[in-house]
Amino acid sequence: MNQALSTAIRRRPWQEIKLPGLGLSWSMLSAAERLVMLYIALLPAWWVSGLYRYMPALTLAGVLYFTIRREGRWPFGRPSLAVVALLAFAGYQLLFPALGGTLAPGFILQTVLFYVMPALLLWCVQGSGVKVRFPVAAWALSVSVLQMVLIWLVFHFVLGEPSFTPPRTLLATLNDKPTDYDFHDYGEGSGKANYLYFYSAGDRAFAGLTRYMFFFLTPEIFGLVAGYLVLVALDLKNRLWSLALLGSSLFLLLLSGSRAVLLAMPLVLLLRYGVSLGKERGPALLCLLVAALGFTCLAVPPVTNFLVDTTVGTVEAANDFRAGSTRVRMLIYERTLDRIPDELWTGHTEPGEPVFSSFSLGRVGSHSFILGNLLYRSGVLGTALFVIFWSALCWWFFRTRAGRPLSSYGLLLLLVLLSPLMVFGSELVGMLILLAATVCTPSTSSPGGSRRG
């Protein structure tokens, strides 16, 4: 009784205010849910401060402090195969550059932040069984969507989306990074992460809209996030909330101008609804529908011709939308495939040469996670380690599937489909996977809960 009284005294009045549309107050959230909500709602602060790349490390530090100092326990249990394989892959990334004398401090930091920190966080999640209720995560994501929509409204209708020189982040200012930003030819330390660059005035997305990336550094990563938001919206039980988030997320996806995400989303949505139908009506009905659709699509000539023409037309339209970018990518992929056999087993220890002298970002081994980061830079041995990690992670997702929403599996599928065409060069991708690993549907119904399908 005394403990309950002291706890009530320590609570602040604002902690009892119910969050709009969620039906939960701050005091009713777990420590993990509070952390997730703050991290997502404060994404603009992470972006302005320039601490994006350090998010996994700072998160791990916070988790260690809370579990050791506040709860008196060690957050790590026995490491899973996924954790061991990812740590081994990170070590492999550093091994051959170190042996060749080309290991740079910046590359060490990048490897630690991009692979080691997420691996340790995954270790904590799997060892401690951390769970975040899906409505809480969806509420925080909805706040982030509202922020982006409001920013777009102001810059599109009020300010007219003028061209501007992006200011530096706070960290870049303290480190005296270059003040001039050139997307096509930047020097060491002057990449996008150091600048508050959230839309490209001269670049167009779909429907003639200006291409945005908001707080996510690149339009491709923003498109990936918007695709995940679409999947989250479909898992919401509250119809009004679901429709509002779905419409806003689809609009943001168009603003990203990411052709790869737009082409991958129909397949992800189709599989998502197939799995949902199988869970609700049983696998027999799902198999019957798949057989009927397969027969109709392949055996009825008018339907087959329509689907082929539509698919080819959609792909060609996406390629023609930014034809110059498509040609550059195709040339990069061709040169990368030609160079992979030179160091087939161990991979190349240094970045490839630029395909065009005027575009330093278009290098051999870039613009593709599978061709570049894995086969070109890591070789067959490193690729095998990453395949072991990804397979073990997917198996863990399946083995612990009870209560996990379909949007988590949709994110994994979306990453697989995008990996040949994108480079996930942001620490935010790892944090997104960890979010998908922790969210779960509540055992009892609550406002905004997830659908059973």
Side-chain angles (χ1 to χ4, degrees):
M1 180 176 178
N2 292 334
Q3 183 178 1
L5 180 62
S6 62
T7 302
I9 294 175
R10 287 198 302 269
R11 287 178 179 172
R12 302 293 187 268
W14 61 267
Q15 293 180 322
E16 303 305 322
I17 299 176
K18 296 294 181 65
L19 299 173
L22 188 60
L24 298 173
S25 64
W26 184 258
S27 62
M28 299 169 66
L29 303 178
S30 67
E33 290 171 340
R34 295 179 184 182
L35 183 67
V36 167
M37 186 168 287
L38 285 176
Y39 269 48
I40 296 177
L42 296 179
L43 278 176
W46 285 98
W47 176 59
V48 171
S49 64
L51 295 174
Y52 241 141
R53 65 183 312 197
Y54 302 102
M55 184 184 291
L58 294 175
T59 304
L60 180 63
V63 169
L64 291 176
Y65 173 82
F66 181 84
T67 54
I68 296 175
R69 294 290 300 272
R70 299 285 298 275
E71 297 185 356
R73 63 182 179 86
W74 184 245
F76 301 109
R78 181 180 178 182
S80 66
L81 178 60
V83 172
V84 173
L86 186 55
L87 289 174
F89 179 77
Y92 181 86
Q93 295 288 297
L94 303 175
L95 176 61
F96 286 98
L99 295 177
T102 59
L103 188 61
F107 183 71
I108 297 176
L109 180 62
Q110 176 185 345
T111 303
V112 170
L113 294 176
F114 196 81
Y115 294 114
V116 176
M117 293 296 125
L120 296 178
L121 284 172
L122 178 63
W123 192 355
C124 289
V125 168
Q126 293 180 332
S128 303
V130 176
K131 296 294 182 183
V132 174
R133 284 172 287 184
F134 176 74
V136 175
W139 192 90
L141 291 170
S142 300
V143 171
S144 183
V145 168
L146 180 61
Q147 293 170 345
M148 290 184 280
V149 171
L150 290 177
I151 289 175
W152 180 82
L153 289 173
V154 171
F155 275 85
H156 183 76
F157 290 106
V158 179
L159 301 179
E161 297 170 334
S163 299
F164 70 101
T165 300
R168 293 175 293 178
T169 64
L170 295 178
L171 185 62
T173 302
L174 293 175
N175 291 333
D176 197 25
K177 298 296 184 181
T179 56
D180 296 328
Y181 176 82
D182 186 351
F183 174 76
H184 296 287
D185 187 19
Y186 60 78
E188 180 67 25
S190 58
K192 271 189 176 181
N194 295 313
Y195 299 88
L196 303 179
Y197 184 77
F198 61 99
Y199 73 85
S200 178
D203 198 1
R204 294 298 168 190
F206 297 95
L209 297 170
T210 300
R211 198 179 191 193
Y212 277 74
M213 64 282 298
F214 291 102
F215 329 122
F216 303 102
L217 306 183
T218 69
E220 291 79 14
I221 298 301
F222 173 45
L224 171 64
V225 173
Y228 177 61
L229 290 171
V230 170
L231 298 172
V232 169
L234 294 174
D235 279 338
L236 289 170
K237 182 179 179 180
N238 186 305
R239 294 292 178 176
L240 181 60
W241 185 4
S242 176
L243 290 175
L245 183 58
L246 178 62
S248 301
S249 301
L250 288 173
F251 175 70
L252 293 176
L253 181 55
L254 292 177
L255 284 182
S256 73
S258 177
R259 298 163 295 174
V261 179
L262 283 169
L263 291 175
M265 282 303 295
L267 178 58
V268 175
L269 293 176
L270 180 63
L271 292 175
R272 184 235 181 245
Y273 277 107
V275 173
S276 177
L277 183 63
K279 292 176 64 177
E280 291 181 353
R281 304 295 178 85
L285 178 61
L286 177 61
C287 293
L288 179 62
L289 288 177
V290 170
L293 287 174
F295 177 80
T296 303
C297 295
L298 298 177
V300 181
V303 177
T304 303
N305 293 336
F306 173 76
L307 292 175
V308 170
D309 293 341
T310 302
T311 303
V312 172
T314 302
V315 174
E316 289 180 349
N319 289 335
D320 293 340
F321 178 67
R322 282 196 299 274
S325 173
T326 301
R327 287 192 294 269
V328 171
R329 281 179 175 270
M330 291 300 103
L331 186 56
I332 291 173
Y333 298 153
E334 291 176 6
R335 298 278 181 87
T336 301
L337 286 171
D338 292 338
R339 293 291 306 278
I340 286 175
D342 295 344
E343 299 290 344
L344 180 62
W345 293 101
T346 60
H348 297 75
T349 58
E350 296 183 359
E353 66 278 2
V355 174
F356 296 102
S357 58
S358 59
F359 184 48
S360 61
L361 292 180
R363 294 178 175 271
V364 173
S366 64
H367 288 74
S368 172
F369 183 77
I370 290 181
L371 290 180
N373 293 59
L374 293 183
L375 292 174
Y376 182 82
R377 293 299 303 270
S378 305
V380 173
L381 298 178
T383 302
L385 289 174
F386 190 86
V387 169
I388 294 174
F389 153 71
W390 190 256
S391 301
L393 179 67
C394 292
W395 172 247
W396 178 76
F397 263 72
F398 176 77
R399 189 164 50 85
T400 58
R401 62 190 178 277
R404 183 171 286 123
L406 292 177
S407 53
S408 296
Y409 302 98
L411 174 65
L412 297 183
L413 177 60
L414 188 59
L415 288 170
V416 171
L417 294 176
L418 295 177
S419 57
L421 303 174
M422 285 177 55
V423 175
F424 308 115
S426 171
E427 285 74 13
L428 189 65
V429 175
M431 301 299 290
L432 202 61
I433 296 175
L434 289 169
L435 175 63
T438 57
V439 292
C440 64
T441 56
S443 56
T444 57
S445 60
S446 61
S450 59
R451 296 187 184 129
R452 296 192 179 190

